[in-house]
Amino acid sequence: MADRDWGNQTAITEFILLGFGDLPDLQILLFLMFQVIYMATVAGNTFIVVIVMAYQHLHTPMYFFLGNLSCLETCYTSTILPRMLASLLTGDKTISVSGCFTQLYFCGSLVCTECYLLAAMSYDRYLAICKPLHYSTLMNSRFCFQLAAGSWLNGCLVTAIFFLFLSHLIFCGPNEIDHFYCDTIPLMELSCSDTHLVILLAFIIASIFTLPPFLLTLTSYVYIIATILRIPSTPGKQKAFSTCSSHLIVVTIFYGSIMFAYLLPKHDTLRDLNKVVSLCYTVLTPLVNPLIYSLRNREVKEALCKAVSKFVPFTKCAETPRE
């Protein structure tokens, strides 16, 4: 790409990620804050994966998908935060064209994969609440593996198709991306090529590949809420809702922040707000996911207590009453 010309201009070889450069006095403070967030995110999601694998009573479809989601969140935050931390520490905001496209590919594929995983988790909760008598038969280990593998493969495939067209764009300047990572829209705005076809392709791909899992998630929760409302007893409603409340919170944060970020008008005055909203689904969501599942799931809290009691003497887990 570096050797290609467009008109009388030479294609650029690197981009400049402006990030939070408009806050020069806060660079060290931002570095420390994001360093803590990154360490906590990796530790929290790794903990979820480890306890799901280690404890037999967590070998269920819901926690199998949760383990996949935690693994994905670790990979996702690792594609963005290490590069941003290096920039905040050294002041070097440049990133090569190939490095930018690589980051863009992994971010896109992991976001698409998360859409499918959240849909699989919502379908699992739908079967557990709305079809309890058929749950163990329908949601068997083979089907769970197929759903998880399909989520990862679809995410990679969708992004690869879009990336194939995006990589043919020519960039000849300017090369400043007003964001803290290589995002699709700010990148296309810098292209010297005609981007109408790429934008149309992005819309088609989103409609065909990413809209269905969102609709499946939405439909599943419509049926779940309708089923819960028909339960006559209040304790029964609370018990049914507690099995899906954590996932519902995660889905709301994920889709809410993404929709707000990409549907926000692209005015210069709103770019800083767009960065803040982008932080929600790129940085904060991977951080709070393990906290949400740990604090709201009795099984996870019990596994955490058992794990702590093995390494910290004189600690004893309180018995949690079974519902």
Side-chain angles (χ1 to χ4, degrees), residues 162 188 195-208:
F162 177 69
M188 286 195 296
T195 59
H196 288 88
L197 180 60
V198 179
I199 294 174
L200 177 62
L201 179 68
F203 176 78
I204 294 173
I205 289 178
S207 300
I208 296 176

Side-chain angles (χ1 to χ4, degrees), residues 84 161-162:
M84 186 168 68
I161 295 174
F162 177 69

Side-chain angles (χ1 to χ4, degrees), residues 2 4 15 21 29 59 61 108 138 154 157 162 167 169 177 185 191 204 213 228 231-232 262 270 276 298 317:
R4 299 176 62 182
F15 294 108
L29 179 61
H59 292 180
L138 296 174
N154 274 323
L157 176 62
F162 177 69
S167 62
L169 296 181
I177 300 176
I185 295 177
S191 176
I204 294 173
I228 291 176
I231 298 176
Y262 284 97
L270 296 177
V276 174
R298 172 176 49 79
C317 297

Side-chain angles (χ1 to χ4, degrees), residues 9 23-24 35 52 56 74 99 125 150 152 162 167 182 229 310:
Q9 297 175 301
L23 302 172
Q35 177 67 26
V52 168
Q56 188 69 32
T74 302
R125 293 299 83 203
W152 288 93
F162 177 69
S167 62
C182 289
L229 292 177
K310 288 183 178 180

Side-chain angles (χ1 to χ4, degrees), residues 19 55 63 69 72 77 83 90 106 139 190 208 213 223 236 246 261 263 271 276 289 293 296 303 306 315 320:
Y55 290 94
Y63 292 105
L69 182 63
L72 181 146
T77 193
R83 174 65 189 77
T90 64
F106 281 106
M139 193 59 69
L190 300 180
I208 296 176
Y223 279 101
S246 300
L263 295 179
R271 289 189 182 275
V276 174
N289 278 2
Y293 282 106
R296 298 187 65 86
K306 291 178 181 178
T315 58
T320 305

Side-chain angles (χ1 to χ4, degrees), residues 98-312:
S98 59
C100 185
F101 272 73
T102 300
Q103 185 185 63
L104 178 63
Y105 172 77
F106 281 106
C107 286
S109 61
L110 290 170
V111 167
C112 291
T113 300
E114 184 161 357
C115 291
Y116 284 98
L117 279 177
L118 291 176
M121 295 174 75
S122 65
Y123 182 66
D124 170 71
R125 293 299 83 203
Y126 161 75
L127 291 179
I129 295 175
C130 302
K131 308 286 184 181
L133 299 179
H134 305 284
Y135 177 75
S136 58
T137 303
L138 296 174
M139 193 59 69
N140 52 59
S141 57
R142 180 180 179 182
F143 185 53
C144 290
F145 178 79
Q146 290 173 341
L147 286 177
S151 298
W152 288 93
L153 290 175
N154 274 323
C156 295
L157 176 62
V158 169
T159 310
I161 295 174
F162 177 69
F163 183 80
L164 182 64
F165 284 83
L166 190 67
S167 62
H168 286 83
L169 296 181
I170 300 173
F171 300 89
C172 50
N175 66 338
E176 292 184 345
I177 300 176
D178 192 11
H179 218 306
F180 56 87
Y181 76 103
C182 289
D183 196 12
T184 307
I185 295 177
L187 185 63
M188 286 195 296
E189 289 176 348
L190 300 180
S191 176
C192 306
S193 307
D194 185 1
T195 59
H196 288 88
L197 180 60
V198 179
I199 294 174
L200 177 62
L201 179 68
F203 176 78
I204 294 173
I205 289 178
S207 300
I208 296 176
F209 291 98
T210 58
L211 186 59
F214 169 72
L215 293 178
L216 176 61
T217 303
L218 185 63
T219 303
S220 297
Y221 273 102
V222 169
Y223 279 101
I224 288 172
I225 294 174
T227 301
I228 291 176
L229 292 177
R230 287 198 298 266
I231 298 176
S233 65
T234 301
K237 290 181 180 179
Q238 293 175 344
K239 182 179 180 180
F241 185 73
S242 67
T243 64
C244 62
S245 57
S246 300
H247 181 248
L248 183 58
I249 293 173
V250 171
V251 167
T252 303
I253 294 175
F254 176 74
Y255 279 111
S257 57
I258 284 185
M259 288 180 178
F260 191 78
Y262 284 97
L263 295 179
L264 196 68
K266 306 305 176 185
H267 298 306
D268 292 338
T269 55
L270 296 177
R271 289 189 182 275
D272 290 338
L273 178 59
N274 184 270
K275 290 181 187 178
V276 174
V277 176
S278 297
L279 282 174
C280 290
Y281 68 87
T282 59
V283 177
L284 296 183
T285 300
L287 172 66
V288 302
N289 278 2
L291 293 176
I292 292 172
Y293 282 106
S294 298
L295 295 177
R296 298 187 65 86
N297 284 43
R298 172 176 49 79
E299 292 88 352
V300 176
K301 288 190 287 187
E302 289 179 353
L304 172 62
C305 185
K306 291 178 181 178
V308 171
S309 64
K310 288 183 178 180
F311 298 99
V312 181

